[in-house]
């Protein structure tokens, strides 16, 4: 599947999944009496999902703050006495090599982490053989699901706020969505850096 088709599939699926979940929840919570006819449901769900996609992008920086920072920044931040960067679930053992290569290529010993990661992305974006687009789509989808779970919790708690078990369910769903989104963000950032190192090593080997 080529890059453009993957992106199209992601856009459709992420919008429909989130849109259907919120559409059905709105119907149940506010007793709208909708009968779930297939074609109208898909159309309404897609529009709702489209805006949820946009909202998830706007909330990205807020999500990063709850996760301790941008995954790419953390993967490019070495910690003294530790042979990897990242966190316990997603580790990157080649940070020192990646940082050295990127600073040398940029000819900037004080290059920011954002500048270095952007340079690494320029390699992966121009190589259709990498798995970076897949990891990016998975991360973006996880971010949409996190946003959907937050909206879903607000909807159901607006009706069942007196039920203690509903609060437990809401916290559990949001936490699991947040955790998955964090992991996917790190997987994507690590794959970008890994693809960059792989490309540079291939170039150096053939020189």
């Amino acid at each position: 599947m080529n890059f453009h088709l993957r992106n199209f599939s992601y856009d459709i699926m992420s919008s429909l999944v989130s849109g259907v979940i919120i559409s059905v929840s709105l119907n149940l919570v506010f007793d709208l009496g909708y009968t779930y006819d297939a074609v109208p449901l898909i159309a309404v769900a897609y529009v709702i999902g489209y805006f949820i996609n946009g909202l998830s992008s706007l909330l990205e920086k807020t999500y990063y703050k709850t996760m301790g920072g941008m995954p790419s920044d953390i993967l490019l931040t070495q910690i003294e006495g530790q042979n990897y960067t990242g966190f316990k679930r997603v580790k990157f053992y080649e940070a020192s090599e990646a940082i050295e290569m990127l600073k040398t290529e940029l000819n900037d010993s004080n290059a920011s982490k954002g500048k270095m990661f952007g340079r690494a992305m320029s390699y992966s974006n121009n190589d259709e053989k990498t798995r970076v687009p897949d990891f990016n789509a998975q991360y973006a989808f996880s971010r949409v699901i996190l946003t959907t779970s937050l909206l879903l919790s607000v909807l159901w708690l607006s009706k069942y706020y007196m039920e203690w078990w509903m609060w437990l369910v809401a916290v559990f769903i949001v936490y699991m969505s947040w955790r998955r989104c964090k992991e996917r963000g790190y997987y994507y950032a690590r794959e970008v850096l890994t693809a960059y190192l792989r490309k540079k090593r291939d170039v150096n080997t053939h020189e």
Side-chain angles (χ1 to χ4, degrees):
M1 186 181 294
N2 62 44
F3 175 77
H4 298 293
L5 186 56
R6 282 197 297 257
N7 276 355
F8 178 75
S9 298
Y10 154 72
D11 287 337
I12 295 295
M13 285 302 299
S14 63
S15 295
L16 284 180
V17 169
S18 58
V20 167
I21 292 173
I22 295 299
S23 297
V24 172
S25 294
L26 284 169
N27 189 39
L28 294 173
V29 171
F30 296 106
D31 195 21
L32 301 178
Y34 186 67
T35 58
Y36 304 117
D37 294 327
V39 175
L41 175 61
I42 291 174
V44 171
Y46 182 78
V47 173
I48 292 175
Y50 177 84
F51 285 104
I52 292 175
N53 261 303
L55 179 61
S56 71
S57 295
L58 290 175
L59 291 173
E60 186 174 43
K61 289 185 178 180
T62 301
Y63 292 154
Y64 285 154
K65 288 180 181 179
T66 68
M67 296 172 185
M70 291 182 65
S72 56
D73 286 354
I74 295 173
L75 289 178
L76 290 171
T77 301
Q78 292 179 281
I79 299 175
E80 187 176 353
Q82 186 170 287
N83 64 344
Y84 67 87
T85 58
F87 72 112
K88 189 175 180 180
R89 295 278 297 178
V90 186
K91 300 177 181 179
F92 183 51
Y93 290 95
E94 300 168 300
S96 58
E97 181 182 1
I99 292 170
E100 183 178 351
M101 280 189 175
L102 286 164
K103 286 184 176 180
T104 300
E105 185 172 355
L106 291 167
N107 194 27
D108 183 359
S109 59
N110 296 313
S112 67
K113 297 175 181 65
K115 187 176 181 180
M116 288 190 287
F117 190 71
R119 185 62 176 178
M121 283 181 63
S122 68
Y123 279 80
S124 59
N125 289 340
N126 293 323
D127 188 354
E128 294 186 358
K129 295 180 181 180
T130 70
R131 298 184 299 166
V132 170
D134 294 321
F135 278 88
N136 186 29
Q138 291 168 10
Y139 160 63
F141 183 73
S142 297
R143 190 180 64 205
V144 169
I145 294 299
L146 173 56
T147 305
T148 302
S149 70
L150 288 170
L151 294 174
L152 198 62
S153 297
V154 171
L155 278 175
W156 284 98
L157 287 173
S158 68
K159 184 174 183 179
Y160 297 104
Y161 61 90
M162 294 297 291
E163 303 290 342
W164 64 268
W165 58 269
M166 183 59 74
W167 287 90
L168 288 180
V169 171
V171 169
F172 176 77
I173 291 175
V174 171
Y175 171 73
M176 293 303 294
S177 300
W178 173 86
R179 180 175 175 176
R180 191 62 172 168
C181 182
K182 178 180 178 179
E183 291 174 0
R184 288 299 180 183
Y186 273 89
Y187 282 131
Y188 163 64
R190 186 178 67 178
E191 186 63 22
V192 168
L193 295 172
T194 300
Y196 167 76
L197 288 174
R198 189 185 305 118
K199 189 75 173 180
K200 291 296 291 182
R201 288 165 183 163
D202 288 344
V203 171
N204 293 337
T205 299
H206 290 92
E207 285 183 349

